[in-house]
Amino acid sequence: LIVQSEKMQKRVSRIGIKKAKIIIMNNTKFSSELNAREVRRAAITDKKGKLIVVAGSIREGEEKLVIDGWNSSGSNSVLIIAPRRLNRVKLIEGLLEDKKCNYALWSTFKDYAKIPDYDAVIVDTIGDLSFIYNAGDVAIIGGGFMKYGGHNPMEAAVAGLPIIFGRNMFNFEDTSELFAKEGGAWKVNSASELSDRLAYLSRNPQERARLGGLNKKIIEKFRGSAGTTAMLINEVLLDHQCRGTS
């Protein structure tokens, strides 16, 4: 077994796996890279003075908290909100209409330069979030504001964004703790805390850049994990093949 931390090593040892059969290796997603063509497609050269807030993988019941926190932050910003499941798009439309927000659907854009013309954009497509982060200034990661266990913050970190997530990140415990302690990630409990963080980041562009840079450094530090993991798997397979023919 290849696991991500000593904590995971201890857990699998408890179910009877011998320690000699367990290898600790960093998460292979540290090695992920953005497609250059998609990055160029999503880039917004003129944000018209607006902060672009990308809220990714927002789960059921978290939509209102995220929208309330963003709306009350007082920041001159655009919220790009990507629900985890597309059947939540209509609900998000209703929440934005209640706030009197001018919004559009991601699928309707042919020219992403028009995104700053709106208060909010709802991502109603699948598979675009990884490069949408590249258009942003701040990332909100869903799944942790309620007890879903969170979602992986690495795509936002690869894009060099400061990150905000909830406190229920137990599915990505080691990764989220790493970014919170050594990088530019914050855990929040409520819409008001989210609002405060967004307001602070909106007022402090240099701090945004610093925190995003810390996240990117963590990615760079562990970027070789996928190649090393592949090499280890290959060695195990070769060893198994040799033993089978001896």
Side-chain angles (χ1 to χ4, degrees):
L1 288 178
I2 300 175
V3 299
Q4 294 179 30
S5 66
E6 289 184 10
K7 188 184 296 180
M8 291 301 297
Q9 181 190 50
K10 289 175 182 176
R11 287 177 182 173
V12 295
S13 294
R14 289 194 204 109
I15 62 172
I17 307 298
K18 293 180 180 178
K19 199 169 183 178
K21 289 183 174 289
I22 306 169
I23 300 169
I24 299 174
M25 183 62 59
N26 290 305
N27 192 322
T28 56
K29 280 203 170 185
F30 278 114
S31 298
S32 63
E33 293 186 22
L34 294 172
N35 180 289
R37 183 180 66 82
E38 299 291 11
V39 166
R40 288 194 299 271
R41 188 160 72 92
I44 304 171
T45 54
D46 182 9
K47 297 180 181 179
K48 301 177 182 176
K50 290 189 174 181
L51 184 77
I52 308 295
V53 179
V54 182
S57 299
I58 304 304
R59 297 293 295 268
E60 295 85 345
E62 297 183 330
E63 302 97 341
K64 188 175 186 304
L65 182 150
V66 169
I67 291 172
D68 284 351
W70 160 74
N71 188 63
S72 63
S73 68
S75 59
N76 181 25
S77 62
V78 180
L79 175 67
I80 302 179
I81 181 168
R84 183 68 173 175
R85 292 183 172 82
L86 296 186
N87 62 3
R88 306 294 287 183
V89 168
K90 285 292 182 186
L91 181 142
I92 294 171
E93 287 184 287
L95 292 172
L96 291 171
E97 287 167 4
D98 289 343
K99 301 288 186 185
K100 304 290 190 282
C101 291
N102 176 27
Y103 69 89
L105 298 177
W106 177 260
S107 61
T108 64
F109 283 101
K110 293 182 180 178
D111 181 3
Y112 296 150
K114 295 187 180 298
I115 286 174
D117 294 338
Y118 294 88
D119 298 319
V121 175
I122 306 170
V123 180
D124 59 336
T125 58
I126 294 173
D128 290 339
L129 185 58
S130 61
F131 73 87
I132 290 174
Y133 281 123
N134 195 66
D137 298 302
V138 179
I140 301 170
I141 307 298
F145 299 107
M146 298 182 73
K147 293 184 179 180
Y148 292 111
H151 290 285
N152 204 322
M154 287 190 192
E155 289 175 332
V158 168
L161 303 186
I163 296 169
I164 304 171
F165 42 64
R167 295 189 178 274
N168 299 296
M169 296 290 287
F170 47 83
N171 286 341
F172 298 91
E173 185 177 4
D174 296 317
T175 303
S176 61
E177 286 299 322
L178 178 62
F179 284 112
K181 289 180 178 178
E182 298 184 24
W186 286 324
K187 293 182 180 181
V188 302
N189 276 326
S190 63
S192 61
E193 285 187 17
L194 175 60
S195 176
D196 290 343
R197 295 300 189 185
L198 289 175
Y200 174 77
L201 291 171
S202 177
R203 295 192 305 266
N204 296 278
Q206 290 183 331
E207 185 67 354
R208 290 200 308 269
R210 186 186 74 83
L211 295 172
L214 288 174
N215 289 336
K216 207 157 190 176
K217 280 182 181 178
I218 290 173
I219 294 292
E220 293 298 330
K221 182 178 179 182
F222 299 112
R223 192 174 282 283
S225 55
T228 305
T229 300
M231 181 185 69
L232 287 168
I233 292 171
N234 192 48
E235 287 185 3
V236 170
L237 291 173
L238 286 172
D239 182 63
H240 181 72
Q241 187 179 28
C242 291
R243 289 172 186 271
T245 57
S246 60

